[in-house]
Amino acid sequence: MASLEEVKRIWKQSDCVCFDVDSTVVMDEGIDELARYLGKGDKVSQITVGAMQGALSYGESLKARLDIIRPSRQDLCNFIESHPPRLTPGMIELVQKLQDKKKEIFLISGGFRCIIEVISDRLLIPHDRIFANALLFYFNGGFAGFDRSQPTCEGDGKAKVIAYLKEKYGFKRLVHVGDGVTDLEACPPADAFIGFGVNQVREKVKTESRWFVTSCQELIDELD
């Protein structure tokens, strides 16, 4: 495994940076916030904690949470309008710095694409740089499940997306940044991983990360 100095060097020289979204780019876990909005927060948050700590597979936890929430298309629209995502302090500046340095940026999330598109718009990241789960609805707007063909609906989905990006674009120094166990396990194929503890500290991630940060400014400073 790379040393702290090596991870910092790869970060500075990176040609691509991939970010987890929930509790990384934004302060909250989107699926928990949606559940809370619909009055089902307690049951869903317990499952989320188990997934983030590695007690459940992500695919199992996603299905279990959605079976509880069952959001309609209108529920989602109302939620997005009344609960705009809260960007992590310093994230706008960090993304701008990476963009100024001509680094490619992707958002890879087990969350929902319709919510992440709102986040990407605020960060000026194109929608084709998003890899996330898609919710499905019946013609009347009722909840019909989620698209199981998306790699991000499984625990190793982030690793699969990163491997795909490296093969498609030929990235040589791809860094993944995130707070969860599924993020940690995406390296390799990522060339380096940075544990992100600004919003949530997952003990496994903190312990096993060569570089664990508690502010966006730490990442910004190492780019110069």
Side-chain angles (χ1 to χ4, degrees):
M1 184 181 291
S3 65
L4 171 61
E5 292 73 19
E6 180 70 5
V7 173
K8 289 185 175 183
R9 182 188 67 79
I10 296 172
W11 168 250
K12 186 172 184 177
Q13 299 177 358
S14 60
D15 49 10
C16 176
V17 177
C18 297
F19 287 98
D20 172 48
V21 178
D22 292 339
S23 295
T24 299
V25 173
V26 295
M27 298 172 66
D28 305 305
E29 291 287 330
I31 194 167
D32 287 352
E33 294 302 305
L34 176 61
R36 193 171 294 115
Y37 172 73
L38 295 175
K40 302 172 182 178
D42 290 343
K43 291 182 179 179
V44 168
S45 63
Q46 292 174 7
I47 299 174
T48 298
V49 170
M52 290 300 99
Q53 298 291 359
L56 292 172
S57 75
Y58 191 81
E60 291 170 342
S61 71
L62 180 61
K63 182 180 185 304
R65 289 179 288 181
L66 285 174
D67 282 346
I68 294 170
I69 303 171
R70 302 189 65 82
S72 68
R73 181 182 283 115
Q74 190 60 53
D75 287 336
L76 272 173
C77 291
N78 293 343
F79 171 72
I80 291 170
E81 182 176 351
S82 61
H83 291 71
R86 300 189 301 158
L87 289 172
T88 297
M91 188 56 63
I92 291 176
E93 293 80 4
L94 173 57
V95 169
Q96 181 63 61
K97 185 84 167 181
L98 292 168
Q99 291 168 332
D100 289 345
K101 290 184 173 293
K102 309 302 182 185
K103 300 181 188 296
E104 296 289 343
I105 301 173
F106 291 85
L107 302 179
I108 308 177
S109 174
F112 307 135
R113 184 178 186 91
C114 54
I115 297 175
I116 294 171
E117 286 178 350
V118 177
I119 297 165
S120 71
D121 288 344
R122 292 179 62 184
L123 295 171
L124 303 181
I125 296 173
H127 289 184
D128 65 1
R129 293 297 191 260
I130 298 172
F131 290 84
N133 289 315
L135 294 177
L136 303 176
F137 302 98
Y138 293 114
F139 70 93
N140 64 356
F143 175 70
F146 61 96
D147 184 355
R148 295 175 182 271
S149 71
Q150 297 300 315
T152 48
C153 73
E154 295 296 341
D156 62 350
K158 292 175 183 176
K160 289 180 178 177
V161 171
I162 288 171
Y164 164 78
L165 293 175
K166 293 185 71 174
E167 181 178 357
K168 180 176 181 179
Y169 296 103
F171 296 127
K172 301 300 184 184
R173 293 174 298 279
L174 185 153
V175 179
H176 184 58
V177 182
D179 70 285
V181 173
T182 58
D183 300 300
L184 175 69
E185 293 174 346
C187 180
D191 298 290
F193 170 70
I194 300 172
F196 195 83
V198 179
N199 300 304
Q200 295 286 339
V201 175
R202 322 285 183 190
E203 284 304 318
K204 180 177 175 66
V205 176
K206 181 179 180 180
T207 301
E208 298 186 20
S209 299
R210 282 292 183 261
W211 189 15
F212 187 81
V213 301
T214 55
S215 75
C216 287
Q217 192 61 48
E218 292 176 66
L219 296 171
I220 293 170
D221 291 345
E222 292 293 333
L223 288 170
D224 293 322

